[in-house]
Each structure stands twice: as structure tokens, then as C-alpha cells.
Amino acid sequence: MTNHLIGPLDRFRVLDLTRIRSGPTCVKQFADWGADVIKIEPPDDASGYADRDSSDFQNLHRNKRSLTLDLKSADGRDILMRLVDKSDVLVENFRPGVKKRLGLDWDSLHARNPKLVLGSISGFGQTGPYAERPGFDQVAQGMGGLMSVTGLPGQGPVRVGIPVADLTAGMFCATGILMALLDRERTGFGQWVQSSLLQAQVAMLDFQAARWLIDGVVPEQAGNNHPTAVPMGVYPTSDGSMNIAVTGNRMWQDFCTVIDRTDLADDARFATARLRFQHRDELNALLFDITRTRTSADLTDALIATGIPCGPINKIDAVFADPQVNALGLVVEVEHPQRGTQRVLGQPIVLSGATPVMHSATPDAGQHSDAILQELGLSTDEVAALKERKVV
């Protein structure tokens, strides 16, 4: 194992058998914070899933070592099991039936290495009537209710512009693995950590789910309006538009002062949050006429001075030109032997005693196969023989 980083997770070895996005998102949390992550992939990946030259792939798989391994062969599975013996975590996103055929089911792995933590991400969970279905982010967005509350009223279902089910399933799984590793310090045993796109998406409904579960309300599309609060949403200005978020009666009164309409603060139609919500269309029509007379910069300065949350609606290039984004270090650089310096997304977590380090770019397939196999005790001749048979 190469001691590339002394970090909070540097004592752990993670085997990464994932692909697409949810699994790599999970594993990225370990790779960035110092774990020895071994990405195991087919010697000949004809799946069409792995475009190594894409910016997406380069961003997702940094800080890993790559071992090519044919898991359909007995020799390939034997090498994997030898790695399992020496590892702390294995993360996979196979369908349950595929996992069983490969011998990567929980019972088999736990019997082999009782200390191993298995992280499994699927489309719909490991049990239940949909367990064997293939999963895809947009399918989960639809089934999990998100597309029904996204978009303009009456527009029809709209997907969110990021793969939110994939990303959150990966993050939930990473959190579960960390809890299992902590619990292992007490019990001495690993656990099976499970998440899925559907579970993650339903969990992310948050207050929209509570509106149904507790209040019996089926939320509808609200467009750029906040589903329950007014004024909160997108407001036009003389040079574009911006987000404004006014909460509570005191902030409502301050807002009316900023826009020089204190009469609205005294208007009985808008006296409480509930009344403002009931008269949302009427109130917003009045506010739109007012905010259109101000520039975005002028209105932003006035609102911020009063403590009212607001901000621009940035395109992606403007996001990364923002001084606060730059101050937070959300973009980091990594050196690629062929591509040179690449900018990738950093971690949104700050620790007082540790810093994630981009120590290596996304590896070529099998870039570290020789070194990893030699760490397992294989000789140069044995490695050459495995290559000849296309096991690695």
C-alpha cells in the first residue's frame, strides 16, 4: 500500500467494484480523505459505461489505484478474495442476483472476512418486488416523487438538472459505511450497509414528504415559488432576475421598508405568513412590479444590509467566478501525466485537523495492477502469466 496521504481515513483499504455514478460518489469520499482505494475493473470494458476521456469520469475517479480483473474467471475471483482478506470495505452496485453469482453477497463475504464492511447500492433496494430491476437516476426521480414537484404549475413532470438520486444514494452509503467502521471498533465485526436510488430519493423529499405523511397534502409543482412561504422565490429586476427569501413577520416588515412600500406591511391581506401564502399570486404581482424597477446589484446590497437572504441566479461559469466559491476552495487541481493540470471539484467538508489532497488523477485501466498483485505476494512471472490469460 502506498502511503500517499496521512488523513483521517488513511488506515482503511477500500475495494471499489462500482460504476456509473452512485457507487463512485460513495467511494470518492474515502479516496479524497486518504483511504487506499483500489478500483477493480474488467480487463476489456465493453460495457460502454466508462468513457475515461470524459470530464465526468476524470472528476469522479481521482485518488484511486486501478486493478484490472476478470471476475468471470476463477483466477480473477481468487485474487479478489485475497484482496477481500486484506481490506476494510468493499463497495458494489450490482443487482442482487449478479452479486450472488459472483460470490459477493453478504453471507459469503462476511464468512470470508468478518471484519469487512460491505456497501451495496442498488436501484430499488436488496429486497422487495423491485429488487432485481435495473436502476437509473431519472427513473428514481420519477418514482420517488421529485419530478411531480419540480417545474412550473401545469407544466408536466420535470427532472432535476443533476442526478440527485445517484448522488444522494452514494452519500448515504458513505455515511453508513463510516458508521459501520466506527461500530466495528466496538464489536470487531463489519456490517452490510445498504442504500438505493429509490430510498435516497424518497428520503430527499424531506418536508414535501412530511406535507403528505402528516398533513395529508399532496404537493404540486410550484415553479420558482417556494412551496409554502411567500415572498420567496425568483423576482424580476431591471437587468435580470434574482432569488429573494423573506421569512417571518419581522423580515417581512424589513423587506417592505427596503422596497419603500411600508403600506404593504400594514395591509391586512398580508399580515401573517399564512395570509401571504393564501394571497401569493396577488402579492407577487405587486412585488414583481416593484422589483423590476431596481437593478439586481442595487436590490441585493439593500437586502443584504437588512439581513434578508438573496442572491443572483448564476450560470455554471459564473458560479466558479464567484469570490465566495473561490474562497471556500471548492475547485482543486490534480496533475494528470498526459492531460497536465486538471481542475476538479473538491470536497464541501472542512475539517480543522485534516485536508483532502488530490494526490493523483484518475488512473488508466490497470495502471496499478502489477504493484497491487505484487503486494499480494505474486511473483513477476505469475503476474505475466495472468496477463497472458487475460485475467488482469
Side-chain angles (χ1 to χ4, degrees), residues 251-271:
M251 194 177 290
W252 165 241
Q253 293 170 5
D254 290 342
F255 177 70
C256 292
T257 300
V258 168
I259 63 174
D260 198 24
R261 288 295 302 271
T262 54
D263 59 302
L264 293 177
D266 298 327
D267 194 312
R269 294 171 297 173
F270 313 131

Side-chain angles (χ1 to χ4, degrees), residues 114-175:
K115 293 185 176 182
L116 184 79
V117 174
L118 172 62
S120 295
I121 306 174
S122 60
F124 300 97
Q126 301 297 315
T127 58
Y130 303 161
E132 291 295 339
R133 287 189 184 184
F136 190 75
D137 176 84
Q138 188 163 334
V139 173
Q141 286 193 32
M143 294 178 69
L146 183 61
M147 292 174 68
S148 74
V149 296
T150 304
L152 299 172
Q155 181 180 6
V158 178
R159 69 178 291 275
V160 173
I162 60 171
V164 62
D166 276 338
L167 297 173
T168 52
M171 295 300 296
F172 285 139
C173 189
T175 301

Side-chain angles (χ1 to χ4, degrees), residues 162-219:
I162 60 171
V164 62
D166 276 338
L167 297 173
T168 52
M171 295 300 296
F172 285 139
C173 189
T175 301
I177 291 169
L178 289 169
M179 287 191 288
L181 288 171
L182 283 170
D183 195 55
R184 190 180 71 173
E185 296 178 0
R186 180 177 62 87
T187 67
F189 295 101
Q191 296 188 46
W192 187 11
V193 178
Q194 304 169 36
S195 187
S196 71
L197 307 191
L198 184 60
Q199 287 168 287
Q201 185 56 82
V202 172
M204 291 300 289
L205 290 177
D206 194 61
F207 77 96
Q208 296 282 44
R211 293 175 71 190
W212 163 247
L213 294 172
I214 296 174
D215 299 331
V217 173
V218 178

Side-chain angles (χ1 to χ4, degrees), residues 7-29:
L9 303 181
D10 69 337
R11 64 191 182 278
F12 299 118
R13 169 175 279 177
V14 178
L15 302 181
D16 177 12
L17 276 77
T18 70
R19 59 184 186 180
I20 319 295
R21 185 172 316 280
S22 58
T25 296
C26 169
V27 174
K28 184 170 69 171
Q29 314 317 310

Side-chain angles (χ1 to χ4, degrees), residues 30-45:
F30 295 88
D32 284 1
W33 292 100
D36 177 32
V37 174
I38 299 176
K39 177 174 172 54
I40 297 171
E41 45 196 327
D44 246 340
D45 190 357

Side-chain angles (χ1 to χ4, degrees), residues 314-326:
N314 290 328
K315 290 188 176 181
I316 302 300
D317 56 348
V319 171
F320 292 105
D322 188 287
Q324 185 63 25
V325 172
N326 290 323

